[in-house]
Amino acid sequence: MPQRGGNQVAIMGWTDDTHYQIRNFDSDKNLVIQSVDIKTGKGVVIPPANPNGKLLVQALPEGTTLSMNDVISPD
């Protein structure tokens, strides 16, 4: 099915009782997720979450690297 235009906005769901999330495009045509206040209609961009692997790499001492054979435990 062809898209109707390149700037499709999609409702993603509720953040809480007064905010919902939408998928939208910024001024540079990058995909962003926004939290929108119901009363004001103002949206705030939600930064993308870091996967657990990236958080671990950032927490390692400088000069330490992970190889493909290293196992990461969830705890």
Side-chain angles (χ1 to χ4, degrees):
M1 173 182 259
Q3 280 190 328
R4 298 181 315 214
N7 255 351
Q8 295 291 320
V9 175
I11 297 173
M12 305 296 292
W14 290 96
T15 303
D16 55 31
D17 290 342
T18 59
H19 296 83
Y20 60 93
Q21 292 182 0
I22 60 169
R23 183 180 63 214
N24 202 353
F25 295 91
D26 63 8
S27 59
D28 296 330
K29 304 289 183 191
N30 296 320
L31 188 64
V32 294
I33 304 294
Q34 293 181 319
S35 177
V36 180
D37 187 293
I38 296 170
K39 292 180 183 179
T40 65
K42 293 183 181 182
V44 177
V45 175
I46 300 173
N50 279 340
N52 289 337
K54 282 189 178 184
L55 291 175
L56 174 63
V57 170
Q58 291 172 350
L60 290 174
E62 188 175 334
T64 305
T65 58
L66 295 175
S67 70
M68 295 295 287
N69 295 329
D70 292 330
V71 177
I72 300 173
S73 172
D75 59 337

